[in-house]
Amino acid sequence: MSLISQNTLQKRRLEKRGSDDDSDEVIGSTVAAGAEVANETKSQNGNKERKRKKAKALEAKEKEEKEKMRQLESSLFGALYAPLQFDTEVEAAVSDKDAPSFFLDRSAGDGEEDLPVYEEDLSSEDELNGTDNRGRKPVWVDDEDERTEVDITKVARLRKLRKEAGERVISGKEYEARLRGHHAKLNPFAGWADMDRKAPVPGLSDGESDEEGGVDDILQNNDELVVKDNAKLLPDMLGFSRLIDGNAQERSSGPINSVQFHRNGQLMLVAGLDKHLRFFQIDGKRNPKIQSIYIEDCPIHKASFLPDGSEVILSGRRKFFYSFDLVNAAVSKIGPLTGRDEKSLEHFEISPDSKTIAFVGNEGYILLVSSKTKQLIGTLKMNGNVRSLAFADGGNQLLSSGGDGHVYHWDLRTRRCIHKGTDEGSLAGISLCTSHNSSLFATGSTSGIVNVYKRDDFLGGKRKPLKTVENLTTEVGEMKFNHDAQILAISSRKERNGMRLVHVPSLTVYQNWPGPGFSLHYPRCLDFSPGSGFLSVGHAGGKVLLYKLHHYQNA
């Protein structure tokens, strides 16, 4: 056999073997593909079955939800669409179009879907009213509060609700009850707001009742129900309280010589030897400073508002004095006075009608200056030295006292002395003051004696004072009646805590003033507010002490 034939034979054998292998591969791939198709068909059928089961479950659940929704609506609102049947459970025929839109919250139900409801008969009220509500059910009892628990230690403001120190968690119902109790404690019931409650009538016992009285009786008469400021001030004990200092925002660096309230009761001036005139708004809480004026060449010995409130007069131990215009905020220097050689104009008084300023002059002279023109318009002359002045009768009369121990009454319309009387027990008068209605006046002497007189009796020749106050032992500095003349304040600059308050109707001194816990230092000046609600005291330490008098409601 040749080589070529051998190669051909081998080639044929190899081709035959390859064809056999290919046929086997085709058969194997066909079988595998058929098995794969069968498996895929089986999987699709399983998915469809699961989807059908899931859809059935969702449909059943939605049906159950709708059924429960109808039951809940029927429980809440009654049978709105179905005829009522007695003693049977009513279910409302719900219309999709008119159904109320709300949802059922099961978040706090712990898996419980059924809501408890009451099934009771008709109420007695419905029977009386003749209404037929037998088909409607009452609202369910929500026991959610019983399942709710509140930790009252987590929030600081809830800790006040604890009854024991170690208490932490309480139920919702108990939490609500404690909140209501705390609210009732902070806001007590106002009995006057209860129109059905009858007011107790004095003189009736507990078993008796006032058939015709009550609120109607109060509304049908004009009797006073509230005690007003014009009521009588009681003696012995004075009701007062200490407030923040009047000049707390800017204290004086020297002794205070003048404090005075403006006629509006809210503005107060403070002046002293530190050459400053300060204004404060008095509210009893902060007393903010409004303005401060520095007078360079005059330590202030006295400052005073004009009664009309438009101007402030300031003076010291100088030949001149100053005027401060409150409207224009302008300071004017006035003097020396024409024809006078006084080296000091530190003492003066202003008439209640704001027309005249009376200065204490030399050698018994009283200098009368017009408050409008600031010019000297006249003089008065008394025996001895003039030490103190006080206006009366609305500014038509002037009282003066001095070294001869007498009290002079001057008529400013005629510039003549109309009366001269001896001040009992006084060797030298150093202080004078009159009440607002000019019915009373008081004199103070160098020995600390204060005499209170009725002015009409004194002018009629009666020299005996109504009362002699001997509570001060050093010379009297300043005195002042309050607006209704029920209190007379007297002070001495040379005595620590040297200030007393006199109850004028009984002519007795209040024993609880200034009190064991308060110090007045060395008082140098004082003033009542226009309504006597405030009392201010300036002392040598540079402070203005402020007090609230409880009897008076207005500043």
Side-chain angles (χ1 to χ4, degrees), residues 86 120-134:
F86 179 73
E120 297 179 352
D121 293 332
L122 291 173
S123 64
S124 58
E125 182 179 355
D126 293 336
E127 292 176 356
L128 293 175
N129 295 334
T131 58
D132 187 9
N133 293 331
R134 292 173 293 178

Side-chain angles (χ1 to χ4, degrees), residues 353-372:
D353 57 7
S354 302
K355 294 180 179 179
T356 307
I357 307 172
F359 287 93
V360 172
N362 296 336
E363 300 176 353
Y365 277 94
I366 302 171
L367 312 179
L368 303 179
V369 176
S370 171
S371 60
K372 184 177 182 180

Side-chain angles (χ1 to χ4, degrees), residues 109-402:
D110 297 335
E112 298 181 5
E113 297 180 355
D114 295 334
L115 297 176
V117 297
Y118 282 114
E119 296 182 359
E120 297 179 352
D121 293 332
L122 291 173
S123 64
S124 58
E125 182 179 355
D126 293 336
E127 292 176 356
L128 293 175
N129 295 334
T131 58
D132 187 9
N133 293 331
R134 292 173 293 178
R136 300 183 60 179
K137 295 183 179 181
V139 179
W140 75 91
V141 177
D142 190 0
D143 58 349
E144 183 179 353
D145 290 341
E146 297 179 357
R147 298 191 298 269
T148 303
E149 292 184 347
V150 180
D151 189 350
I152 57 177
T153 60
K154 285 187 176 181
V155 182
R157 62 183 178 181
L158 296 182
R159 294 173 186 171
K160 64 174 73 71
L161 302 178
R162 294 182 297 179
K163 293 183 178 180
E164 298 178 0
E167 190 174 22
R168 291 179 57 85
V169 180
I170 60 176
S171 65
K173 184 174 290 187
E174 178 66 18
Y175 174 69
E176 179 184 357
R178 294 190 186 184
L179 282 178
R180 291 182 182 276
H182 187 68
H183 175 76
K185 185 192 301 183
L186 297 179
N187 304 279
F189 173 71
W192 54 266
D194 186 3
M195 299 301 296
D196 296 330
R197 176 178 175 270
K198 292 185 177 182
V201 179
L204 293 181
S205 62
D206 295 338
E208 298 176 349
S209 62
D210 182 19
E211 298 294 340
E212 301 176 358
V215 178
D216 292 340
D217 286 350
I218 297 177
L219 299 178
Q220 291 174 3
N221 62 63
N222 60 354
D223 293 341
E224 293 185 359
L225 301 179
V226 180
V227 178
K228 299 181 180 179
D229 286 354
N230 56 7
K232 296 292 184 180
L233 178 66
L234 299 179
D236 300 329
M237 301 295 288
L238 178 66
F240 67 93
S241 57
R242 171 80 180 274
L243 304 177
I244 186 174
D245 290 348
N247 63 340
Q249 292 200 355
E250 186 175 316
R251 292 187 170 91
S252 301
S253 58
I256 296 176
N257 288 330
S258 289
V259 293
Q260 188 182 12
F261 285 92
H262 191 269
R263 57 183 298 180
N264 62 16
Q266 299 179 354
L267 183 66
M268 182 179 70
L269 67 80
V270 178
L273 298 181
D274 62 350
K275 302 180 181 180
H276 281 86
L277 172 66
R278 299 179 176 89
F279 295 95
F280 297 90
Q281 181 181 350
I282 302 301
D283 57 12
K285 298 179 181 179
R286 295 179 56 249
N287 303 330
K289 188 188 80 169
I290 296 177
Q291 191 175 7
S292 178
I293 296 98
Y294 179 69
I295 309 298
E296 184 176 3
D297 59 348
C298 183
I300 303 173
H301 279 255
K302 184 165 184 176
S304 179
F305 287 109
L306 288 182
D308 61 12
S310 62
E311 206 171 341
V312 177
I313 303 299
L314 307 93
S315 68
R317 291 179 179 175
R318 300 290 187 270
K319 297 180 179 180
F320 48 84
F321 64 95
Y322 284 90
S323 171
F324 176 68
D325 190 342
L326 292 175
V327 178
N328 300 318
V331 180
S332 302
K333 184 177 180 180
I334 302 153
L337 298 177
T338 304
R340 304 300 306 178
D341 58 353
E342 277 78 10
K343 295 182 179 180
S344 174
L345 298 174
E346 59 185 288
H347 298 295
F348 67 88
E349 293 292 334
I350 303 175
S351 64
D353 57 7
S354 302
K355 294 180 179 179
T356 307
I357 307 172
F359 287 93
V360 172
N362 296 336
E363 300 176 353
Y365 277 94
I366 302 171
L367 312 179
L368 303 179
V369 176
S370 171
S371 60
K372 184 177 182 180
T373 63
K374 307 299 187 296
Q375 298 297 318
L376 184 67
I377 58 175
T379 60
L380 304 173
K381 177 68 170 70
M382 59 172 279
N383 299 331
N385 296 326
V386 184
R387 302 291 298 273
S388 60
L389 302 170
F391 281 91
D393 194 20
N396 293 324
Q397 295 185 16
L398 179 68
L399 282 69
S400 64
S401 66

Side-chain angles (χ1 to χ4, degrees), residues 387-389 401 423 428-433 442-445 476-479:
R387 302 291 298 273
S388 60
L389 302 170
S401 66
D423 183 14
I430 197 174
S431 182
L432 269 177
C433 73
T443 63
S445 65
V476 180
E478 188 164 355
M479 305 186 299

